Amino acid sequence: LVDVAPDLSIVPQLATEWSWNDDSTVLTFKLREDATFHDGAAFNAEAVKANLERAMTLPDSLRKSELASVSGVEVIDEFTVAVTVSEPDATLLAQLSDRAGMMLAPAAFDDFANNPVCSGPYSFVERVQNDRIVLERYAEHWDADAYHFDQLVFLPIPDTTVRLANLQSGDIQLLERLAPSDIAAVEEDPNLEFLQAAGTGYVSLRFNVANGSRAGSPMGEDKRVRQAFQLAIDREVINQVVGFGTYAPAQQPFPPSSQFYSDQFPDTARDVEAARALLAEAGHERVAVELVYGNTTTTQQISELIQAMTAEAGFDVTLRPTEFAAMQQEMTSGNFQVSQIGWSGRIDPDGNIHQFVACDGSLNDGKYCNEEVDRLLNEARGTTDIAARVELYTQAQAILQDELPQINLHYQPRAFGVSSKLEGFTAHPDGMIRLKGVSLAD
């Protein structure tokens, strides 16, 4: 519905304008009148209503907690839709600039996993699992003239060396999530260019504390064990060894550039003796734990470092590399003890914390639940006063830093390697690839 500019401001997309009523309980959107879905159906207020209600009610929807404040969606006329919230929600517009605001063709809801039909400048052609996703330019898109590629091919290449070789040979023209170890090679190649934006997201370890039988372990049952695990990790080592200085340590979900970042939570220093003492206090000399991670080179390097560092403190870590989509399903079902996973980040702080730790959070795979944390985070959603929100998030973090349902490791830089022939591409803080106005020189 709306988009995020490089400066993190919210800009029009399918919605051309929007406004709140006087008591901030109704958000009204004016919609484009020249947009269609890839099946030719018109994009209109009815479609917006159908999409938002689907996201709010679908049993396995990951957007539920993002839209928890929405109490109703009303079609005012063909191109005007009103979203009513049960109480003021300072986060809603930001949520609609991301997944919750992505519009799907209602007629394709039932078979979306196999045949996605959307409304963007490129339409779906095929997906070959673990091999490629192919899109083609949608000639009827309302802004089609601004998109210059007839076809897009997305290739998942887990090995960073192979990815770089493909970029250097010209087989691919854009490489996202460039490995820090490859930045120098890109910068030194006259045919390539390195682009980077400070990211809004982070990488964390998430713990299964209450999601099924695999939560029944010392790590899931005792916060002291999780605290010991954190004390055994040196974030700066991860930054230097894997990140080559680009993986800034993250103790909290808000980056230092955010006005919601708190000086009350400095990075935890590694202290092996203190970690061992906590384990002993919890009644353990050694603790066995399995760490699952997406099978890429950098995630493997981080996992191996964590395995080695925590071993000195009394943890026997078994590593389980898994294809990323499969790992997400495993986490949802509770088949994990600890997972390493990244989050792309949101421009509103709520999007970096609420759905991961709220009792009904749609991405709370470990099923952590603390009623006081819920109260604080929900209150922060309901006020636009920045100072009040900062204080509420700080109070919530004080609890979370003690109970540790997740350990944040590092902030995610948005690093791209691109062909020097690729013109007009800009790296965005949210990491999404936007190709409006981008072209490939002869």
Side-chain angles (χ1 to χ4, degrees), residues 92-311:
L92 183 58
L93 194 58
Q95 301 288 17
L96 295 175
S97 73
D98 209 275
R99 282 116 171 124
M102 293 180 181
M103 296 289 105
L104 323 176
F109 281 174
D110 291 341
D111 193 37
F112 192 81
N114 298 311
N115 185 32
V117 180
C118 305
S119 56
Y122 289 90
S123 61
F124 176 77
V125 175
E126 67 170 342
R127 172 180 180 259
V128 181
Q129 189 169 0
N130 297 326
D131 182 72
R132 66 185 54 226
I133 295 173
V134 181
L135 310 179
E136 65 183 7
R137 183 173 174 270
Y138 179 50
E140 303 305 315
H141 184 260
W142 56 272
D143 200 17
D145 290 345
Y147 294 87
H148 305 300
F149 302 110
D150 292 331
Q151 186 181 75
L152 302 178
V153 181
F154 290 83
L155 301 174
I157 307 175
D159 188 285
T160 57
T161 301
V162 177
R163 282 173 22 210
L164 178 62
N166 274 262
L167 181 67
Q168 291 171 324
S169 67
D171 289 339
I172 61 175
Q173 291 75 44
L174 189 154
L175 190 163
E176 68 160 342
R177 304 186 190 189
L178 178 71
S181 57
D182 293 333
I183 292 174
V186 170
E187 290 182 321
E188 293 167 2
D189 191 325
N191 297 314
L192 303 177
E193 184 178 359
F194 170 62
L195 300 175
Q196 180 169 281
T200 55
Y202 55 87
V203 170
S204 66
L205 300 176
R206 298 186 200 167
F207 296 98
N208 186 351
V209 299
N211 189 359
S213 61
R214 300 215 65 191
S217 69
M219 189 73 84
E221 295 175 340
D222 194 329
K223 69 179 183 181
R224 293 172 297 180
V225 178
R226 298 191 293 274
Q227 290 168 350
F229 201 74
Q230 175 172 243
L231 282 167
I233 295 172
D234 191 325
R235 292 173 174 85
E236 186 57 32
V237 168
I238 294 173
N239 178 33
Q240 295 301 327
V241 173
V242 184
F244 285 72
T246 68
Y247 284 2
Q251 182 74 31
Q252 52 192 291
F254 315 133
S257 59
S258 170
Q259 58 191 326
F260 296 93
Y261 180 87
S262 174
D263 293 333
Q264 294 186 27
F265 310 108
D267 297 340
T268 299
R270 186 172 192 246
D271 190 332
V272 173
E273 291 304 317
R276 288 174 178 163
L278 267 177
L279 276 188
E281 182 183 313
H284 307 285
E285 182 177 350
R286 300 200 68 82
V287 171
V289 60
E290 181 188 74
L291 171 60
V292 60
Y293 60 93
N295 58 342
T296 69
T297 304
T298 52
T299 53
Q300 179 172 325
Q301 291 172 335
I302 291 173
S303 297
E304 289 174 349
L305 273 178
I306 290 172
Q307 181 185 49
M309 288 189 286
T310 57

